[in-house]
């Protein structure tokens, strides 16, 4: 699996660039917005993203799979593209009508201090949702045609740079909050326009409204496939976003609490960066082993991949935990609660990382229905937890609700995969990784504070974070080289020494 590390190094660079720009967006947002303003914009983004995934009705997944099936039939291919674009458009229109009709009922569920924000920008949500829908559809189409680089660059870099420019204009007083909110929505015209232009440059792209191109059986197949992926989207979206979506309703501080919670969630998302970089390449090799019915190889890959994901994830966790004080110092403006919220969320996220590629295994082994039913049961459980804990404990209640649900979810998947496939991600190497982490954590946690943050807080906090993180990385790397918990990592390091390049 040395090749996995080489391929993943490229993904890691793109993902890291996007994460750093995202961090700058968050920092500028906390610096130039009030907590209520930031909470509102986060709420707008969360709902637009969630609604777009629902109102697209699973057709973006259908487009990716079926576009190749109809590669030699122009009429069917163009009709499929038309269905994937115009049916979600119609769904957004229907939603908009219902949304506008229920305006009074919807707004009254928000906290009294937050209602003016909802009233002023109420109708921008459908616009935002439609732009998200188009971005998803065209990005998926370009991905199916192996045009991945441009879409990734637009999503990870261009959109975030545009956000940064907007925030700087707002921070220096060149635009008001109205322009900031509307600009946050309309900048998505950039990727949508570019994706559409690139799509039209592909000869096979186009639209058709000849509905008779598909037989009755083909329509049934498309509907069935789309319906399943629509339900799957609901389950995973609610598991991921329910805490943030419901927090403004049940926490008495409304959008202000969501601002703090959103920053903590962003910080915890850094723990997923290694998975984003490593899983795609590992998944391909794992899928091939299952396809060849080579279960011995599949189990070996599963354990090794899980361990390889755990190694950088632990490093990221150590860096984040040991630099929480620096993060709070840099953000300032009353965001001190992000530290305890982060630590609560950390418990669930660490278990999620440690249990490896259970989701991928369940999908390959055709046990995806278990994942689906389990997630739906836990959505109900999560909502009940939020409804019970958030009114009493605010963002801490939301964090504990999410963490408890994530722990139950991952333990259930772990036990199911272990029982059905006799596969589990843990080995003696897992213990070695944790042993390597102990002195690295001590090096970061007890590293002396050479810089007084009372003056030049940004420079001194960043300097402290850099030195503290360097101490963690050095000690952790030395321990890994000594304990050798991953043969794949050793192979990758040997390749770097030999070829003098990362990939």
């Amino acid at each position: 699996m040395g090749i996995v590390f080489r391929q993943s190094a490229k993904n890691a660079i793109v993902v890291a660039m996007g994460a750093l720009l995202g961090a700058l967006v968050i920092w500028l947002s906390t610096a130039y917005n009030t907590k209520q303003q930031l909470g509102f914009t986060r709420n707008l983004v969360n709902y637009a993203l969630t609604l777009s995934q629902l109102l697209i009705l699973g057709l973006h997944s259908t487009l990716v799979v079926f576009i190749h099936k109809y590669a030699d039939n122009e009429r069917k291919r163009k009709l499929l593209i038309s269905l994937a674009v115009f049916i979600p458009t119609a769904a957004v229109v229907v939603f908009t009508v219902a949304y506008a009709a229920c305006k009074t009922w919807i707004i009254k569920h928000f906290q009294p201090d937050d209602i003016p924000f909802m009233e002023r920008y109420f109708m921008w949500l459908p616009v935002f949702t439609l732009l998200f829908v188009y971005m998803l559809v065209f990005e998926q189409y370009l991905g199916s045609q192996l045009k991945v680089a441009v879409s990734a660059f637009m999503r990870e870099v261009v959109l975030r740079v545009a956000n940064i420019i907007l925030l700087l204009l707002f921070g220096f007083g060149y635009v008001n909050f109205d322009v900031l909110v509307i600009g946050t929505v309309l900048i998505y015209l950039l990727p949508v326009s570019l994706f559409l232009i690139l799509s039209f440059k592909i000869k096979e792209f186009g639209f058709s409204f000849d509905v008779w191109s598909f037989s009755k059986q083909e329509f049934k197949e498309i509907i069935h496939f789309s319906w399943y992926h629509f339900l799957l989207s609901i389950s995973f979206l609610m598991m991921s976003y329910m805490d943030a979506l419901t927090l403004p309703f049940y926490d008495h501080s409304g959008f202000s609490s969501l601002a703090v919670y959103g920053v903590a969630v962003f910080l915890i998302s850094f723990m997923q960066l290694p998975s984003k970089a490593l899983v795609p390449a590992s998944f391909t090799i794992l899928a091939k082993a299952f396809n060849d019915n080579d279960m011995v190889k599949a189990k070996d890959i599963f354990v090794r991949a899980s361990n390889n994901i755990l190694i950088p994830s632990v490093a990221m966790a150590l860096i984040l935990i040991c630099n929480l004080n620096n993060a709070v110092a840099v953000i300032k403006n009353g965001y001190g609660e992000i530290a305890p919220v982060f630590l609560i969320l950390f418990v669930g996220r660490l278990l999620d990382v440690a249990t490896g590629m259970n989701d991928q295994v369940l999908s390959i082994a055709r046990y995806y229905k278990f994942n689906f039913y389990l997630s739906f049961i836990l959505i109900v459980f999560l909502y009940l937890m939020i409804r019970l804990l958030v009114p009493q404990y605010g963002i801490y209640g939301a964090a504990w609700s999410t963490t408890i649900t994530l722990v139950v979810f991952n333990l259930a998947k772990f036990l199911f995969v272990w029982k059905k496939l006799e596969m589990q991600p843990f080995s003696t190497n897992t213990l070695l990784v944790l042993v390597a982490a102990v002195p690295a954590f001590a090096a970061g946690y007890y590293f002396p504070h050479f810089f007084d943050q009372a003056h030049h807080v940004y420079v001194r906090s960043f300097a402290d974070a850099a030195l503290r993180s360097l101490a963690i990385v050095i000690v952790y790397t030395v321990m890994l080289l000594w304990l050798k918990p991953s043969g794949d990592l050793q192979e990758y390091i040997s390749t770097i020494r030999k070829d003098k390049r990362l990939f």
Side-chain angles (χ1 to χ4, degrees):
M1 287 179 66
I3 190 173
V4 171
F5 276 91
R6 291 194 294 276
Q7 292 175 353
S8 300
K10 298 178 182 179
N11 292 338
I13 292 172
V14 177
V15 169
M17 185 184 298
L20 290 174
L21 288 172
L24 183 55
V25 170
I26 289 292
W27 177 65
L28 291 173
S29 298
T30 58
Y32 295 139
N33 289 277
T34 66
K35 288 201 288 187
Q36 193 177 27
Q37 288 173 334
L38 175 56
F40 168 73
T41 54
R42 295 311 308 163
N43 188 69
L44 184 63
V45 172
N46 290 339
Y47 270 94
L49 177 61
T50 304
L51 286 168
S52 66
Q53 293 278 0
L54 298 180
L55 296 175
I56 206 168
L57 302 173
L59 284 164
H60 60 315
S61 300
T62 304
L63 178 64
V64 172
V65 174
F66 282 76
I67 197 74
H68 301 294
K69 181 177 180 179
Y70 302 129
D72 298 326
N73 191 313
E74 182 180 353
R75 289 189 305 164
K76 290 183 178 181
R77 185 179 61 250
K78 290 185 176 181
L79 178 58
L80 179 67
I81 294 170
S82 301
L83 293 175
V85 173
F86 294 109
I87 289 179
T89 301
V92 173
V93 171
V94 172
F95 161 75
T96 302
V97 173
Y99 178 68
C102 299
K103 180 178 179 179
T104 302
W105 180 80
I106 292 170
I107 288 177
K108 76 175 184 180
H109 285 82
F110 288 86
Q111 301 300 321
D113 290 343
D114 296 335
I115 287 177
F117 285 90
M118 291 302 302
E119 289 178 333
R120 188 172 184 84
Y121 306 106
F122 187 79
M123 291 308 298
W124 282 102
L125 177 59
V127 177
F128 208 178
T129 301
L130 185 63
L131 290 174
F132 264 120
V133 165
Y134 288 152
M135 190 174 73
L136 280 169
V137 171
F138 294 125
E139 185 177 16
Q140 291 286 69
Y141 173 74
L142 290 172
S144 73
Q145 305 302 305
L146 303 179
K147 306 284 186 181
V148 179
V150 175
S151 60
F153 181 75
M154 286 296 298
R155 184 182 62 255
E156 298 291 341
V157 178
V158 175
L159 278 174
R160 288 192 168 103
V161 169
N163 260 308
I164 290 167
I165 293 171
L166 267 174
L167 285 164
L168 288 173
L169 290 173
F170 175 68
F172 286 102
Y174 293 106
V175 300
N176 58 22
F177 188 68
D178 284 346
V179 175
L180 178 64
V181 173
I182 296 169
T184 300
V185 175
L186 295 183
I187 58 173
Y188 282 82
L189 284 169
L190 288 172
V192 170
S193 301
L194 180 61
F195 293 167
L196 187 58
I197 291 169
L198 291 174
S199 296
F200 271 114
K201 286 186 176 182
I202 299 172
K203 186 177 67 173
E204 291 79 9
F205 183 82
F207 299 109
S208 170
F209 299 97
D210 183 7
V211 294
W212 305 111
S213 298
F214 287 149
S215 66
K216 186 177 180 180
Q217 182 58 38
E218 285 174 321
F219 267 120
K220 283 184 177 180
E221 187 179 4
I222 289 171
I223 292 170
H224 181 269
F225 189 90
S226 301
W227 176 246
Y228 168 72
H229 282 83
F230 167 69
L231 293 177
L232 200 61
S233 295
I234 294 176
S235 63
F236 282 105
L237 277 169
M238 292 300 102
M239 285 285 291
S240 302
Y241 287 98
M242 186 178 287
D243 50 355
L245 293 174
T246 56
L247 191 62
F249 300 146
Y250 302 129
D251 188 293
H252 301 303
S253 297
F255 290 150
S256 296
S257 290
L258 181 59
V260 178
Y261 193 76
V263 174
V265 169
F266 174 77
L267 290 176
I268 207 73
S269 71
F270 275 78
M271 284 190 62
Q272 295 175 284
L273 297 185
S275 296
K276 287 183 178 180
L278 286 163
V279 165
S282 302
F283 180 72
T284 302
I285 299 174
L286 186 63
K288 187 178 185 306
F290 268 91
N291 188 58
D292 296 338
N293 202 28
D294 189 347
M295 292 306 297
V296 174
K297 183 178 180 182
K299 291 177 183 178
D300 178 60
I301 293 170
F302 178 68
V303 173
R304 289 161 61 191
S306 299
N307 195 56
N308 292 338
I309 292 169
L310 181 65
I311 289 172
S313 298
V314 167
M316 184 64 72
L318 296 175
I319 291 170
L320 289 169
I321 289 175
C322 292
N323 283 292
L324 277 178
N325 289 334
N326 286 318
V328 172
V330 168
I331 294 173
K332 299 189 298 184
N333 298 331
Y335 283 83
E337 291 172 296
I338 64 173
V341 171
F342 172 89
L343 292 173
I344 296 170
L345 292 171
F346 171 79
V347 176
R349 188 56 60 192
L350 182 62
L351 182 64
D352 183 44
V353 170
T355 49
M357 297 176 64
N358 284 325
D359 282 325
Q360 288 75 19
V361 167
L362 288 170
S363 65
I364 298 170
R366 301 189 184 279
Y367 285 116
Y368 50 81
K369 287 187 178 180
F370 168 80
N371 225 9
F372 174 69
Y373 293 133
L374 175 64
S375 60
F376 257 90
I377 292 171
L378 288 178
I379 286 170
V380 177
F381 175 75
L382 175 58
Y383 176 76
L384 293 175
M385 290 282 290
I386 289 172
R387 192 69 185 88
L388 177 67
L389 297 180
V390 170
Q392 296 186 58
Y393 305 107
I395 54 178
Y396 301 115
W400 276 117
S401 299
T402 300
T403 292
I404 292 169
T405 303
L406 200 56
V407 167
V408 173
F409 188 46
N410 281 285
L411 285 177
K413 288 187 294 183
F414 164 75
L415 293 172
F416 186 86
V417 170
W418 193 4
K419 180 179 180 181
K420 290 291 184 180
L421 299 171
E422 297 181 347
M423 297 172 67
Q424 57 94 10
F426 304 118
S427 65
T428 52
N429 287 331
T430 308
L431 182 60
L432 292 177
V433 173
L434 297 178
V435 170
V438 174
F441 173 74
Y445 188 79
Y446 293 107
F447 191 85
H449 293 274
F450 291 115
F451 304 100
D452 180 13
Q453 292 177 336
H455 303 287
H456 306 293
V457 62
Y458 298 121
V459 173
R460 296 177 186 231
S461 294
F462 282 120
D464 183 83
L467 290 176
R468 197 172 299 277
S469 300
L470 183 61
I472 292 169
V473 170
I474 290 173
V475 174
Y476 190 54
T477 301
V478 170
M479 291 297 296
L480 291 175
L481 291 174
W482 177 46
L483 296 173
K484 296 180 174 59
S486 171
D488 302 309
L489 179 59
Q490 298 300 123
E491 180 186 344
Y492 178 58
I493 292 173
S494 298
T495 303
I496 294 175
R497 288 172 177 170
K498 179 182 177 182
D499 300 335
K500 302 294 187 290
R501 58 191 180 90
L502 290 174
F503 42 79

